[in-house]
Amino acid sequence: MTYLTFTVPPMPHYITSGLSYIPQGGHHPSRSNIQVFDLLITTAGCLYIGEENARYEVRPGQAIILRPDRYHYSTQPCEELTWTYWLHFHASGSWVHDDPRMEPLLLEEPPIAEREIEAFVVAPFSLRIPQYTTLLHPEKMYDLLEQLGQLQPHAHVSAVRMSEQLVFQEVLRQLALSSDSETPSAARACAEKAASYLRQHYREAFSAKQLGDELNFHPVYIARCMHKEYGCSPVAYLLRIRIEQAKLLLMQTSLPVAHIAQEVGFEQAAYFTASFTKLEGLSPRSYRQQFSRDKRFRQPFRSGSNR
């Protein structure tokens, strides 16, 4: 199964939708580079459609997402009256066409981009949707698309546009559910186990060998899987966790910087300061000063808190 993986934020954006039919002997129109994603969900009959070299038969309860940059065409006439919901949406963020059967590549660590100093960084995540799937709850999906149809005549009202986007997010969730019901790929499962272990043990000294022993995978394979799922190595992932935890302590407590370094897993305060400065663009002490105007009483820090 192939997937469309969107980096969020921003969320994919709903444009418009509708319900149409193709008579017996009719065809889906052929189009190229329509610049929007085209979600098609069949409720009756069968839709025969192709995208480049791939061919699909979309039967009742099944869905397909056609890419905005590909050529789409009918592969054969409909053998019976075919009803299909269609929905156009746009992704202003990055996305990839992902095939889990491909071996994950070991990528170079991406350079750190300059950005404004923020109290809390909005960490991106992946929205992974199968391109062609059988819906887990087709009737629920039909109901959502009916809701969008009812909202369509009033789409000029801002509040209605907001409602459309909320319904559309549920449409995406329903599509993702059909993927989650399947067994995740070995690479994805490995990456998620590694990330979970690092989050639980970020205060401890890191060892690639120990991580491999805990997960029962070779460290090089773990690194490849984490690059594919999270875009970074285990060491870089751990560093990000430690720095985010340190930012919370810098804002919420008056603990010395050296103490905070130890609390989040750094053995040397100098290395903590250097790592923090490289990722955040300023030192831990300067970062704390960004939030020091409010002199009200701070809650005492309790070691081991998950706040």
Side-chain angles (χ1 to χ4, degrees):
M1 178 182 289
T2 60
Y3 295 86
L4 295 168
T5 303
F6 301 89
T7 299
V8 181
M11 286 290 293
H13 187 82
Y14 169 80
I15 301 174
T16 187
S17 61
L19 176 64
S20 62
Y21 72 90
I22 301 175
Q24 183 179 10
H27 297 261
H28 186 277
S30 298
R31 296 173 298 192
S32 180
N33 298 318
I34 63 174
Q35 300 182 8
V36 294
F37 289 94
D38 189 4
L39 168 63
L40 301 173
I41 298 176
T42 300
T43 63
C46 182
L47 180 65
Y48 301 92
I49 194 164
E51 181 180 81
E52 300 292 350
N53 296 325
R55 293 169 173 256
Y56 303 95
E57 296 181 2
V58 189
R59 301 184 182 278
Q62 294 184 324
I64 185 169
I65 301 177
L66 303 177
R67 288 176 46 166
D69 57 346
R70 292 278 179 93
Y71 171 55
H72 313 129
Y73 55 94
S74 173
T75 59
Q76 72 175 66
C78 291
E79 298 177 351
E80 57 184 311
L81 179 65
T82 299
W83 286 89
T84 304
Y85 282 106
W86 57 270
L87 185 152
H88 292 166
F89 68 94
H90 175 68
S92 56
S94 62
W95 60 274
V96 294
H97 195 182
D98 177 31
D99 188 342
R101 295 169 297 183
M102 300 293 290
E103 180 70 16
L105 299 177
L106 184 60
L107 306 176
E108 294 182 359
E109 190 70 20
I112 299 172
E114 294 184 3
R115 55 181 172 79
E116 296 182 1
I117 304 304
E118 299 174 322
F120 296 96
V121 176
V122 179
F125 63 93
S126 295
L127 175 62
R128 196 162 179 262
I129 298 175
Q131 184 180 17
Y132 172 63
T133 188
T134 298
L135 299 171
L136 191 61
H137 304 294
E139 295 300 328
K140 173 65 175 177
M141 181 67 82
Y142 302 157
D143 180 64
L144 292 170
L145 294 167
E146 283 294 327
Q147 291 181 45
L148 288 172
Q150 294 169 9
L151 292 170
Q152 189 74 24
H154 309 287
H156 59 283
V157 180
S158 296
V160 173
R161 292 290 295 166
M162 181 65 181
S163 297
E164 286 182 328
Q165 300 306 320
L166 293 175
V167 174
F168 173 58
Q169 289 187 29
E170 181 61 20
V171 168
L172 295 178
R173 194 179 77 87
Q174 290 295 320
L175 289 170
L177 282 177
S178 63
S179 169
D180 293 340
S181 64
E182 300 178 355
T183 303
S185 68
R188 182 183 178 189
C190 174
E192 291 178 348
K193 288 181 180 179
S196 178
Y197 178 85
L198 293 173
R199 286 188 174 276
Q200 293 178 42
H201 300 274
Y202 71 88
R203 293 188 178 92
E204 303 171 11
F206 174 78
S207 164
K209 182 180 182 304
Q210 181 179 354
L211 180 63
D213 292 341
E214 290 288 341
L215 272 61
N216 200 26
F217 287 116
H218 194 282
V220 173
Y221 178 72
I222 296 174
R224 288 178 176 175
C225 294
M226 291 202 71
H227 267 288
K228 181 175 177 60
E229 292 297 323
Y230 301 109
C232 64
S233 67
V235 172
Y237 188 89
L238 176 61
L239 180 62
R240 293 175 185 175
I241 295 172
R242 288 174 169 174
I243 296 301
E244 289 304 313
Q245 293 296 321
K247 288 163 65 177
L248 291 174
L249 296 180
L250 287 167
M251 286 190 298
Q252 297 174 355
T253 77
S254 57
L255 288 174
V257 171
H259 191 152
I260 290 176
Q262 294 179 351
E263 284 289 340
V264 299
F266 287 89
E267 295 183 0
Q268 299 179 354
Y271 178 57
F272 164 67
T273 298
S275 300
F276 191 101
T277 303
K278 182 178 180 181
L279 285 177
E280 297 300 321
L282 76 174
S283 68
R285 193 177 307 278
S286 297
Y287 180 87
R288 169 176 273 168
Q289 290 174 352
Q290 305 292 315
F291 311 98
S292 62
R293 293 180 181 178
D294 188 349
K295 303 299 183 180
R296 291 176 296 181
F297 176 76
R298 295 177 183 268
Q299 292 293 328
F301 169 72
R302 295 180 175 85
S303 179
S305 172
N306 292 323
R307 180 180 177 184

